[in-house]
Amino acid sequence: MDVFILCLAAVALLFTSYSIIPTIAIRVSGKEITKRIKGQKGIALTFDDGPHPEFTIMLLDLLKRYRVKAAFFVVGHKAEKYPEIIRRMHQEGHVIGIHHYQHVSNWSITPFQLKKQMNRTQKVIRRLTGKRTCFYRPPWGHFNLFTNQIAKDYEIVIWSHIFGDWKAERSEHTLLRDLRQVPDDGSIILLHDCGETIGADENAPKYMIENLEVFLKESVKEGRQFITLETSNMDRRGHYEH
């Protein structure tokens, strides 16, 4: 029994050292990640987990109507399934980034698997748009001990504001209030255009889009600016200021 407990403790320590500790350290220190677009006035809208055949199209229609450019961190196998949506994102001037080929956490995959997830998604994006993306966002914002090294050629983008909009109740009842409180000082907003991931509600993006429309309408009236990840200052790697 004592041996079993010791083995269990060793496994827990290894897992924590590989996943939880690096995630906390990286996100607290901000080392090699972007949480805000420094030196810019405006708000950057970013969307995860798509594309979705209904909600992403609704979202693109909305953004086009208000002439707002955003960033989409796409799941590779969904991008393959809906190539016309990815092409439209690109044609309409939105940024497209990597969000793994499957929506899997860096906590649950090996370094080799992480590299494969990123490379497969990169190939899909490049095939559909003719352009290589330099942006990456790990699902759930999870890092492991090797994420930064494997993603060293990418700009790792997290967020300054997250609202839990993957849950329908929050997306419907509190999202608009939260959006109105975001400062326009280079804030990066994280929203979700697909509710098919673990823990999400399938209809949550519907309410997100409804409230985002109100926010965009108010923002245009008030003169609030929206910026993209590509408006940031380039750093020595040809990417963006951390």
Side-chain angles (χ1 to χ4, degrees):
M1 188 65 176
D2 290 341
V3 173
F4 174 76
I5 293 175
L6 286 173
C7 289
L8 195 62
V11 170
L13 179 61
L14 285 172
F15 175 78
T16 302
S17 300
Y18 179 75
S19 58
I20 298 175
I21 291 176
T23 296
I24 294 172
I26 291 168
R27 289 176 60 172
V28 169
S29 70
K31 183 180 179 181
E32 296 298 320
I33 64 174
T34 296
K35 297 189 286 187
R36 185 183 301 273
I37 303 178
K38 296 180 180 179
Q40 296 291 330
K41 185 173 179 60
I43 295 171
L45 296 176
T46 69
F47 301 92
D48 284 7
D49 297 359
H52 184 277
E54 178 184 359
F55 297 128
T56 305
I57 291 173
M58 291 171 60
L59 177 57
L60 287 170
D61 290 342
L62 174 63
L63 295 172
K64 185 176 182 179
R65 187 155 64 249
Y66 286 93
R67 299 180 181 180
V68 172
K69 308 301 181 186
F72 290 85
F73 288 90
V74 301
V75 178
H77 79 89
K78 294 180 181 179
E80 283 185 323
K81 190 174 181 180
Y82 307 108
E84 68 286 352
I85 300 180
I86 302 300
R87 293 191 184 103
R88 179 181 172 185
M89 288 176 186
H90 177 64
Q91 290 167 359
E92 295 183 358
H94 301 291
V95 171
I96 301 173
I98 293 170
H99 200 49
H100 287 183
Y101 187 78
Q102 285 100 15
H103 197 282
V104 292
S105 169
N106 277 320
W107 294 2
S108 64
I109 57 178
T110 66
F112 173 79
Q113 290 170 326
L114 168 57
K115 189 172 184 178
K116 186 175 181 180
Q117 288 280 334
M118 296 183 68
N119 287 345
R120 288 187 72 180
T121 309
Q122 177 70 266
K123 288 178 181 178
V124 172
I125 294 171
R126 192 164 191 170
R127 184 173 71 249
L128 295 176
T129 68
K131 182 179 179 181
R132 181 187 184 278
T133 183
C134 63
F135 296 102
Y136 167 60
R137 173 177 285 159
W140 293 292
H142 289 176
F143 294 80
N144 65 41
L145 200 56
F146 301 96
T147 302
N148 279 8
Q149 176 60 30
I150 292 171
K152 66 182 186 300
D153 293 328
Y154 293 87
E155 182 68 16
I156 304 175
V157 181
I158 307 298
W159 54 81
S160 61
H161 294 78
I162 185 170
F163 311 110
D165 68 299
W166 57 87
K167 303 303 291 186
E169 183 175 356
R170 294 189 68 177
S171 193
E172 182 178 10
H173 298 294
T174 65
L175 179 59
L176 181 58
R177 178 202 66 195
D178 293 339
L179 287 171
R180 287 168 171 162
Q181 295 174 357
V182 176
D184 58 348
D185 58 354
S187 296
I188 298 176
I189 290 177
L190 169 57
L191 297 168
H192 298 78
D193 57 321
C194 183
E196 296 175 345
T197 54
I198 296 173
D201 295 334
E202 288 189 20
N203 63 334
K206 171 181 177 292
Y207 300 111
M208 181 276 290
I209 293 169
E210 289 176 357
N211 283 294
L212 180 62
E213 181 170 12
V214 176
F215 178 63
L216 292 179
K217 185 176 181 179
E218 293 177 352
S219 296
V220 168
K221 185 177 180 180
E222 296 167 5
R224 186 179 288 112
Q225 298 296 311
F226 290 92
I227 56 179
T228 74
L229 302 178
E230 292 181 337
T231 61
S232 178
N233 295 322
M234 303 297 276
D235 72 5
R236 59 182 172 80
R237 292 186 300 161
H239 290 168
Y240 296 81
E241 182 181 359
H242 296 291

